[in-house]
Structure formats: structure tokens, C-alpha cells
């Protein structure tokens, strides 16, 4: 199948937002999506963007049932290791179901890795749900290690009221 | 015990590198100074400092740090990731770790962030207990997310155009 992987432009944010919701539905947490295309436009296309994004595009003749030509995306940002230096964190990787099995997911992930490599990133990291076997197999096939299984890593989070409370307890300047 | 928490500056780099080496048993990346203290830093640091009269045997007054950077959640927007939180052993149990973490949370909210994330190994019970007691939740245990990494040869292969 003919497809193109390119850097997202601001105008792509509506499509990216649509696919973010599709991915959240797949992960069984659609009620957790709180941001829209407006936040993506603001945070991804400012002077010091919080993230970068790649989109996968197909020609008009291959558009989806609903008429979309932007049919996959990878949203990533740069992280840091005090030992190894810069790394890439792939926050989302998604291809619409009807376009899977054509190498598009691999194309998106590889492009993110290539971009990271040009910026001297030595690691690529991401999260995957433990029940998401197709994705776990996909990443294992790319040589990714599961640090939760091998080293016991857990992601810990403060948000909502707990984050507010923690911040309120900061020493006064 | 009297201590202060403040944003780190270039002058603090040597102390930060000293504490990274002690806390992680690794030498910090060669470019730490450039990576953290240039015009567009890859990370930020807050430092805990004690007055001269409480300095360590070796004469250090900078006795703890938290290293963090901005990240993003496609569901919640701007976030902060706290990579390191460290207090020298002789200064623990006095609220310094909590104060460092609170300062990062405060900076997170000021920057419009809605999440503060970090990673803890499940076998590290003292740390896990400390964080859970502060009101965070274990995303891996409760939602089932696993942390994955690609590096070395696997990453080289993946990055082939």
C-alpha cells in the first residue's frame, strides 16, 4: 500500500485529536481524554514545543471509509537520562485498524527512532498495556525490553487533587 | 533542621554531578552541564541547601536535588517527569525529599502541567511507601502499563531509514 510518513503540521491536529480518541477507545479509557486539537496546536507548534508528531498519509484513492487520508500517527518527545543523555519517548503510536498490516506502524516508529538518532538519542522508550498482546508482540519483535518485567519498573503519578496538595506543601520562597 | 529549596544554576553543576554519582553509582553524562544549563535545557534541577553550620564532614552544603523535564500526555496535555529525587543519607527523615518533590509539583502547576510522573522499582519498598504516602498512584499496578525500552543494536536497526 502506498503511504507517506511526514512531520505533522499544525493543520493536522484535528486528525491527530481524532486518532488520539480512537486509541483511547482501543485502550478502554475514552473518558480519560481531556485535551482537544487546540491544546495540541498550542503545545506542539510553539517556540519550545512539548512534543513532536509524525503522521502517516495515504493518497485519496486509499482514503478510509469515512474519507480520512491521515490514517496513523506517532507522538513523541525528548527525555533525559543522567547516565546516557538524551532519549526519545514515544507517547502514542497508532494506525487505524483498516490500514494495519502494511508496515505503517513500523514506518512511524522507525522514523521517530531515526529523528532521535540524529539528535544523539541513545534510547527509545514507551509504555504498553499488559493485556495489549498485539502491541507487546510488535515491540518485542523490534527488540524492546519490558523493564517492568525485567527490572520491576512502575510508573507512578501525581495528578488532580493529589498534585494540587503536593504543590501547596512546597516551602515558601 | 533549617534548609532551603531553590532552582539550580550553573554553579551547582559540580554538586549535582557529585550527588548523581553517589545516588546512581554512575558517572553523569559528559554533557550534563551543557544539557542542563544552556539556552534550551533538556532538563531542570531544584537543589536543597543547608546553612554552613550544618554542612557535611566533607564541607558540602548542597545536600539533595530533584531533576525533572517537561513531557506530554496525549490525553491530559503538559506533564512533568521527575527523573531523580535524592537526599544525602545523613539528611534524610527531615522533610527534604518531600520539600524537593513539592517544589517540582509547584513548578509543574505553574507551567500548566496536569501530571507529575516518575518511575520506581517495585522492589524499592522504602521509596514506594514514601511516594504512595504522599498521595500518588501506581499507574503500572492499577492500569497495567509496562515500561518498554529499545537501545543499542535494536535501536540502530529500528532507526534504519
Amino acid at each position: 500500500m502506498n503511504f507517506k510518513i511526514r512531520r505533522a503540521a499544525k493543520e493536522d491536529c484535528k486528525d491527530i485529536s481524532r486518532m488520539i480518541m480512537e486509541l483511547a477507545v482501543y485502550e478502554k479509557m475514552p473518558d480519560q481524554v481531556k485535551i482537544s486539537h487546540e491544546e495540541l496546536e498550542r503545545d506542539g507548534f510553539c517556540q519550545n514545543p512539548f512534543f513532536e508528531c509524525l503522521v502517516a498519509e495515504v493518497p485519496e484513492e486509499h482514503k478510509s471509509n469515512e474519507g480520512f487520508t491521515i490514517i496513523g500517527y506517532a507522538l513523541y518527545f525528548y527525555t533525559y537520562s543522567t547516565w546516557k543523555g538524551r532519549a526519545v519517548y514515544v507517547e502514542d503510536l497508532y494506525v487505524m485498524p483498516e490500514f494495519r498490516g502494511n508496515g505503517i506502524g513500523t514506518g512511524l516508529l522507525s522514523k521517530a527512532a531515526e529523528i532521535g538518532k540524529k539528535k544523539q538519542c541513545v534510547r527509545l522508550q514507551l509504555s504498553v498495556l499488559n493485556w495489549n498482546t498485539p502491541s507487546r508482540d510488535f515491540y518485542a519483535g523490534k527488540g524492546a525490553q519490558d523493564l517492568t518485567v525485567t527490572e520491576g519498573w512502575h510508573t507512578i503519578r501525581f495528578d488532580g487533587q493529589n498534585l494540587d496538595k503536593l504543590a501547596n506543601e512546597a516551602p515558601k520562597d | 533542621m533549617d534548609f532551603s529549596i531553590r532552582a539550580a544554576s550553573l554553579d551547582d553543576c559540580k554538586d549535582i554531578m557529585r550527588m548523581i554519582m553517589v545516588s546512581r553509582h554512575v558517572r553523569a553524562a559528559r554533557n550534563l552541564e551543557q544539557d542542563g544549563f544552556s539556552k534550551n535545557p533538556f532538563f531542570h534541577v531544584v537543589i536543597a541547601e543547608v546553612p554552613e553550620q550544618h554542612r557535611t564532614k566533607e564541607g558540602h552544603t548542597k545536600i539533595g536535588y530533584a531533576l525533572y523535564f517537561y513531557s506530554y500526555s496525549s490525553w491530559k496535555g503538559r506533564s512533568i517527569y521527575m527523573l531523580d529525587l535524592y537526599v544525602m543519607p545523613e539528611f534524610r527523615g527531615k522533610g527534604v525529599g518531600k520539600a524537593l518533590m513539592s517544589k517540582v509539583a509547584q513548578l509543574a502547576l505553574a507551567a500548566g502541567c496536569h501530571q507529575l510522573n516518575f518511575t520506581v522499582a517495585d522492589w524499592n519498598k522504602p521509596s514506594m511507601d514514601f511516594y504512595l504516602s504522599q498521595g500518588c498512584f501506581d499507574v503500572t499496578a492499577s492500569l497495567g502499563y509496562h515500561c518498554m525500552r529499545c537501545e543499542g543494536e535494536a535501536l540502530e536497526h529500528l532507526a534504519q531509514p
Side-chain angles (χ1 to χ4, degrees), chain A residues 7-163:
Chain A
R7 299 265 198 166
K10 206 168 178 176
E11 300 73 58
D12 295 316
C13 284
K14 285 196 173 75
D15 277 286
I16 297 166
S17 193
R18 165 181 60 82
M19 290 187 285
I20 285 172
M21 185 53 90
E22 288 176 22
L23 179 54
V25 167
Y26 175 81
E27 295 195 354
K28 304 176 189 163
M29 288 182 267
D31 56 314
Q32 293 298 311
V33 180
K34 303 295 184 202
I35 64 166
S36 71
H37 65 93
E38 286 167 357
E39 282 85 357
L40 296 176
E41 285 162 13
R42 180 195 65 189
D43 296 334
F45 298 89
C46 52
Q47 174 116 26
N48 289 315
F50 284 79
F51 65 87
E52 293 178 4
C53 198
L54 298 164
V55 292
E57 197 167 21
V58 294
E60 269 294 320
E61 60 264 25
H62 290 307
K63 64 182 189 281
S64 75
N65 295 331
E66 300 93 349
F68 301 118
T69 54
I70 309 281
I71 53 80
Y73 76 102
L75 191 150
Y76 61 94
F77 49 84
Y78 300 101
T79 63
Y80 197 76
S81 155
T82 40
W83 179 26
K84 295 271 194 178
R86 234 177 171 186
V88 173
Y89 186 89
V90 178
E91 163 71 5
D92 282 0
L93 177 65
Y94 175 77
V95 177
M96 290 170 69
E98 63 199 273
F99 294 93
R100 290 177 196 164
N102 291 299
I104 298 173
T106 295
L108 285 162
L109 190 64
S110 288
K111 191 69 186 170
E114 188 192 25
I115 291 169
K117 190 177 168 183
K118 289 196 174 123
K119 293 199 170 204
Q120 286 86 52
C121 293
V122 291
R123 284 174 169 169
L124 184 146
Q125 308 204 159
L126 50 99
S127 291
V128 67
L129 285 160
N130 55 10
W131 54 257
N132 189 352
T133 310
S135 292
R136 289 184 81 175
D137 290 346
F138 172 77
Y139 294 122
K142 305 284 182 232
Q145 315 153 52
D146 186 330
L147 300 170
T148 296
V149 167
T150 58
E151 295 182 22
W153 283 28
H154 282 225
T155 297
I156 306 293
R157 174 176 300 156
F158 281 96
D159 61 4
Q161 278 183 15
N162 292 316
L163 182 59

Side-chain angles (χ1 to χ4, degrees), chain A residues 27 32 34 43 80 82 92 110 124-126 128 130 145-148 152 154-158 166 169, chain B residues 29 35 72 74-76 78 98 102 116-118 120 122 137-139 144-150:
Chain A
E27 295 195 354
Q32 293 298 311
K34 303 295 184 202
D43 296 334
Y80 197 76
T82 40
D92 282 0
S110 288
L124 184 146
Q125 308 204 159
L126 50 99
V128 67
N130 55 10
Q145 315 153 52
D146 186 330
L147 300 170
T148 296
H154 282 225
T155 297
I156 306 293
R157 174 176 300 156
F158 281 96
L166 183 65
E169 290 162 1
Chain B
D35 291 347
Y72 207 74
S74 53
W75 294 355
K76 303 288 197 290
R78 296 179 188 182
K98 164 76 186 285
S102 288
L116 169 61
N117 294 317
F118 50 101
V120 179
D122 60 6
F137 76 99
D138 186 332
V139 172
Y145 282 103
H146 282 218
C147 308
M148 311 290 292
R149 174 191 296 157
C150 214

